[in-house]
């Protein structure tokens, strides 16, 4: 599983990277996939060398437990990474204890540290450990243990140090709808050894019930997910997929949600796929969706205990900073209800927002303060303007010219928030009074 040594490239010898060579050197591996757990700190270091052989409650079987959902890691930094698992206990009324062991080698001979944990039904028996004190740009291996049962062994990796500009490879995925098919793209990425991290831009799960949106695989639970138990169960179903497990076992994930982790075309105060009253209160549904996401994903909240705020910055050495945006639940107004001209944006509603002032300042100020060569924006919906061709869904014979077709545009994208989009563009150009921001790459999921 360990990556082979690579020869030093010309890009590594140069002090900088041109725009022309960005895609080649940065190595973005794009793959469209078919179709509030308590964050615990690291425990004490049990030793710097040798195997962990201590007697531990984790090794004493007081009840039957299983690791049905495998393990995962996420949000790597130069000195830390989140380690995640979920334990299925025989007795759901009891506390489950255990530990995770971390090593520098796949054979588990170069011991680094152990971390203890406890989890309960209040956290759906999920475990999240912030493993700190690690070395930059280093591969680690880890395994959870509880009641004498061991999880699968897994691999993770820290990010390069701030002064490193070595080339990076990121796997880029989104829109993993289980009812639409199998996750072969996850499986193909898991075959590689040269990926630093997998960036998931949202729609990690889908909320629909059986035969509502795809029918190749059935859903757990069978109906549309509405309650905390529903959202937890759906996350659990996805985490049992063998291809997704394989990718989590191999690389750390960096994730952000889109709409289907809560409901289709969601915004701060509602969603297209939510009927107020008949499907409960939106604020409550949104809150339980966010709680389940935090419990079941290897994510480090920027504000501990606040699963509503997940926009954050991941530093990928000196080559790039990744700014992850929440274009859905934090401060988004509903989509425009009138046709949109993509060349003008929604000029009739200049005050409408996709991300809001707090996220705007986080993004623009963060990019201006960044010392990294590239600024990557992890964004859910299409940022560029859409121009479509007539007859796209029902082609007619004869030449077809590009024309504006406002009634055929996707109002769920940034075209519905033209004024705020232009505000961002102005900041990138420096026409807002600040310094221009160069080398910005916007990554998009959704479609």
């Amino acid at each position: 599983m360990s990556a082979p040594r690579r020869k030093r490239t010309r890009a590594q010898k140069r002090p900088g990277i041109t725009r022309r060579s960005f895609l080649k050197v940065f190595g973005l591996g794009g793959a469209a996939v078919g179709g509030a757990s308590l964050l615990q700190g690291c425990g004490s270091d049990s030793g710097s060398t040798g195997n962990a052989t201590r007697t531990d409650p984790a090794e004493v079987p007081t009840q039957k437990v299983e690791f049905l959902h495998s393990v995962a890691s996420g949000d790597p930094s130069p000195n830390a990474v989140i380690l995640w698992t979920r334990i299925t206990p025989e007795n759901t009324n009891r506390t489950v204890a255990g530990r995770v062991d971390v090593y520098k080698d796949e054979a588990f001979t170069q011991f680094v540290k152990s971390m203890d944990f406890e989890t309960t039904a209040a956290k759906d028996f999920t475990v999240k450990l912030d493993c700190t004190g690690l070395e930059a740009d280093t591969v680690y291996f880890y395994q959870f243990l509880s009641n004498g049962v061991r999880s699968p062994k897994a691999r993770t990796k820290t990010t390069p140090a701030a002064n490193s500009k070595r080339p990076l490879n990121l796997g880029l995925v989104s829109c993993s709808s289980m009812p639409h098919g199998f996750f072969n793209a996850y499986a193909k990425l898991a075959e590689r050894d040269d990926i630093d991290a997998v960036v998931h831009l949202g729609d990690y799960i889908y909320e629909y019930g059986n035969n509502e949106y795809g029918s190749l695989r059935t859903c757990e639970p069978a109906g549309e997910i509405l309650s905390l138990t529903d959202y937890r169960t759906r996350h659990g179903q996805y985490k049992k997929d063998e291809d997704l497990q394989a990718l989590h076992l191999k690389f750390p994930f960096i994730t952000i949600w889109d709409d289907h982790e809560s409901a289709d075309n969601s915004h701060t105060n509602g969603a297209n796929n939510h009927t107020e009253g008949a499907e409960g209160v939106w604020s409550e549904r949104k809150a339980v969706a966010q709680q389940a996401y935090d419990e079941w994903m290897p994510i480090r909240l920027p504000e501990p205990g606040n699963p509503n705020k997940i926009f954050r910055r991941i530093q990928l050495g000196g080559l790039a900073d990744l700014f992850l945006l929440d274009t859905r639940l934090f401060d988004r107004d509903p989509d425009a209800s009138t046709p949109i001209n993509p060349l003008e944006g929604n000029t009739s509603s200049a005050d409408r927002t996709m991300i809001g002032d707090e996220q705007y300042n986080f993004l623009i100020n963060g990019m201006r303060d960044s010392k990294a060569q590239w600024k990557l924006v992890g964004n859910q919906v299409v940022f560029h303007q859409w121009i479509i061709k007539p007859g796209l869904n029902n082609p007619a014979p004869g030449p077809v010219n590009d024309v504006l077709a406002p009634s055929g545009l996707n109002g769920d994208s940034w075209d519905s928030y033209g004024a705020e989009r232009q505000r961002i563009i102005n900041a990138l150009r420096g026409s807002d009074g600040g310094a221009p921001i160069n080398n910005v790459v916007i990554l998009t999921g959704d479609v």
Side-chain angles (χ1 to χ4, degrees), residues 167-187:
L168 296 168
N169 288 325
L170 299 178
L172 188 65
V173 295
S174 68
C175 303
S176 40
S177 174
M178 184 172 283
H180 280 90
F182 295 92
F183 296 156
N184 57 295
Y186 286 156

Side-chain angles (χ1 to χ4, degrees), residues 29 41 55-56 147 170 230 238 274 396 409 425 440:
T55 301
D56 191 286
N147 286 268
L170 299 178
D230 291 344
Y238 274 66
H274 174 78
L409 296 174
I425 293 172
V440 176

